[in-house]
Amino acid sequence: MKIHEYQGKDLLKAAGVAVQEGKVASTPEEAARAFEELGCSLGVVKAQVHAGGRGKGIAIGPDADRAEALAIASGQKPRPEGVAQGVQLVRSAEEARKAAESLLGKTLITYQTGIDGAKINKVLVADGVEITRELYLGMAVDRAVQAPVLMASTEGGVEIEEVAKKTPEKIHREPIDVGFGLADFQARKLVKALGLEGAAAKNGLVFFKNFVKFFIDSDCSLAEINPLIVTDSGQVLALDCKLNFDDNAMYRHKDIAALLDPAEEDPNEMRASESGLSYVQLDGDIACLVNGAGLAMSTMDVIKYHGGEPANFLDVGGGANKDQVLEAFRILLSSDKVKAVLVNIFGGIMKCDIIAAALLAAYDEIDFKVPLVVRLEGTNVEQGMKMLEESGRKIITAKGLTDAAQKVVAAAKGSA
Ligand code: GDP
Ligand code: MN
């Protein structure tokens, strides 16, 4: 689960991690008031979307050329004068109002959002900081090390992916013992690696310790502070933050779970999770309805092996009753990219004849405009397949995974 920068900064601040002060706003007037309330001479207005690269990103209206915008946001084309950037420095309440106006309701295109962009519903008005140094701090679970790893680099503010590719030696890594947190010697190593001295060194130690503690206590899966900045007076502050949390741990962090912004989520994925289905949108044209994540993965593999591209990953879980199948079909068919549907269900606890009945009932309630291929396996499979074959509906039955994949790939090509 992802959250917005302003929400992340609130959480970090509560955990004793120093952040740039700010207030969130949903209207230009609120943004102007926020600037006054912050009482700063320099402020920054930042689009709140779940994507990075906002500084170089641009906010566009509905009629603008998205491909052109993406080329500019990715640095392939020069930035024309007067375009609204996702992060804007402001020096008065009036400038804050104008900056907010140029962002709110618009679509932000950054190198991370791609061509679709992200709708800007809120902006963060933050106390502008004079930056002496821009550093990078990140933490992520490293499966190879079997632990979270804290990463720090003097190359902050820029795309850390580039640093990792070109000069990996500039990223300092410390594996973290989740029971112990960040050890003092590790914190001191980081301070040295980042070249922090005097007050900045002291502030850095506190920052790193609390940051690591927050990551572990909140079940983060990724936390990035880019840039982590050092001011003239030696303050060490998070100027930006990107936090992701482990969905499976959100039951024990109700306060964090409540920060979910439905506007940022894929509507189909939200709808699926409300019905207890796991759904992931993909780029292909063959929709898959499967029970069990392992079976879903192998179904996608076999589709690809036979030259097709899956449109999604949809796991109805152990159940597969009529209501779930019906909702699953509705979600699958809501995309006009889908050219064929493959149902691949293993009837173990749920018998195949019961599943066939659910499929037929759901089929009748849906206007199927694309071919439907069904492969069932398991208890009472003969009975279930017979029901489908004799139903008089336009259902293509398949025997075995290979047969199913070949039939659905052919069907998708035929209806494309
Ligand atoms: P991102 O582009 O989405 O990662 O957004 P950031 O929050 O990292 O902001 C992008 C850049 O804007 C930063 O790297 C800074 O250079 C600049 N910036 C953001 N806030 C401030 C600020 O308070 N003062 C100054 N001087 N620059 C800022
Ligand atoms: Mn950033």
Side-chain angles (χ1 to χ4, degrees):
M1 183 190 137
K2 293 179 183 171
I3 60 172
H4 287 294
E5 176 195 6
Y6 75 93
Q7 297 169 322
K9 281 178 169 170
D10 286 347
L11 292 176
L12 287 177
K13 192 179 169 188
V17 178
V19 299
Q20 173 191 35
E21 291 292 327
K23 287 175 189 287
V24 67
S26 312
T27 64
E29 290 66 41
E30 269 176 38
R33 211 172 319 132
F35 182 91
E36 272 163 12
E37 285 168 11
L38 286 169
C40 46
S41 52
L42 176 71
V44 55
V45 177
K46 312 175 76 175
Q48 296 298 287
V49 296
H50 286 183
R54 296 164 302 167
K56 292 183 187 135
I58 62 177
I60 56 167
D63 304 324
D65 182 345
R66 285 162 185 266
E68 168 95 3
L70 183 58
I72 297 166
S74 330
Q76 285 149 11
K77 278 195 174 177
R79 175 189 308 281
E81 279 295 309
V83 295
Q85 288 171 245
V87 175
Q88 300 176 30
L89 291 174
V90 294
R91 287 186 173 73
S92 67
E94 178 53 21
E95 279 186 27
R97 198 189 62 74
K98 278 207 184 118
E101 204 169 54
S102 74
L103 296 172
L104 289 164
K106 301 280 174 22
T107 298
L108 187 74
I109 305 238
T110 80
Y111 76 94
Q112 280 189 9
T113 66
I115 195 111
D116 288 337
K119 177 98 188 289
I120 308 168
N121 294 314
K122 287 189 165 77
V123 293
L124 173 66
V125 183
D127 188 355
V129 183
E130 295 299 342
I131 302 171
T132 309
R133 295 183 64 207
E134 284 191 307
L135 311 171
Y136 171 89
L137 189 70
M139 191 159 167
V141 179
D142 184 337
R143 285 176 174 76
V145 184
Q146 300 186 4
V149 171
L150 185 64
M151 295 163 286
S153 176
T154 51
E155 308 303 299
V158 291
E159 286 159 42
I160 196 70
E161 295 84 359
E162 289 297 305
V163 182
K165 224 186 284 167
K166 289 183 188 143
T167 47
E169 71 283 358
K170 286 191 175 163
I171 301 178
H172 183 92
R173 294 162 198 267
E174 285 295 326
I176 303 297
D177 180 329
V178 286
F180 192 76
L182 183 69
D184 287 338
F185 78 90
Q186 292 181 301
R188 282 195 297 271
K189 260 177 24 187
L190 277 179
V191 161
K192 193 155 179 256
L194 293 175
L196 299 177
E197 283 165 358
K202 243 175 158 175
N203 291 329
L205 287 174
V206 177
F207 192 107
F208 303 145
K209 278 234 153 181
N210 289 344
F211 177 72
V212 169
K213 185 170 184 330
F214 170 82
F215 184 100
I216 295 168
D217 291 351
S218 323
D219 290 303
C220 282
S221 52
L222 175 80
E224 254 191 329
I225 308 292
N226 191 21
L228 170 76
I229 61 128
V230 184
T231 68
D232 240 1
S233 57
Q235 274 185 300
V236 176
L237 295 175
L239 206 70
D240 187 12
C241 85
K242 177 180 191 172
L243 302 179
N244 294 0
F245 299 91
D246 181 350
D247 289 334
N248 294 319
M250 285 302 97
Y251 73 93
R252 57 184 181 196
H253 302 288
K254 296 278 188 287
D255 53 332
I256 297 173
L259 300 177
L260 180 98
D261 179 356
E264 285 279 349
E265 304 297 322
D266 180 272
N268 276 340
E269 288 180 19
M270 291 285 284
R271 193 171 156 189
S273 88
E274 278 161 21
S275 322
L277 309 167
S278 323
Y279 177 88
V280 180
Q281 177 95 41
L282 302 168
D283 292 329
D285 57 8
I286 297 174
C288 319
L289 189 160
V290 183
N291 68 337
L295 190 57
M297 301 281 253
S298 42
T299 303
M300 294 197 305
D301 282 350
V302 178
I303 287 176
K304 277 191 161 269
Y305 182 78
H306 289 286
E309 283 296 330
N312 71 285
F313 171 110
L314 193 147
D315 173 12
V316 292
N321 59 36
K322 183 201 147 190
D323 288 342
Q324 276 185 314
V325 172
L326 188 60
E327 183 65 359
F329 276 151
R330 287 201 174 118
I331 293 170
L332 294 180
L333 296 172
S334 68
S335 156
D336 51 14
K337 272 204 277 184
V338 170
K339 298 284 181 268
V341 177
L342 172 62
V343 172
N344 183 22
I345 291 186
F346 179 75
I349 301 164
M350 183 85 104
K351 300 186 181 71
C352 288
D353 52 324
I354 309 277
I355 295 164
L359 283 172
L360 289 172
Y363 186 89
D364 288 344
E365 287 191 33
I366 297 241
D367 182 18
F368 254 94
K369 292 208 175 79
V370 297
L372 171 63
V373 178
V374 179
R375 179 248 177 167
L376 299 179
E377 198 51 78
T379 315
N380 295 352
V381 62
E382 288 84 8
Q383 218 176 316
M385 292 308 268
K386 200 158 168 256
M387 286 167 68
L388 297 176
E389 280 155 12
E390 293 174 358
S391 67
R393 278 84 164 182
K394 272 169 60 189
I395 298 176
I396 304 165
T397 54
K399 208 164 168 45
L401 196 45
T402 301
D403 186 36
Q406 285 169 343
K407 280 180 174 161
V408 80
V409 171
K413 292 206 169 118
S415 74

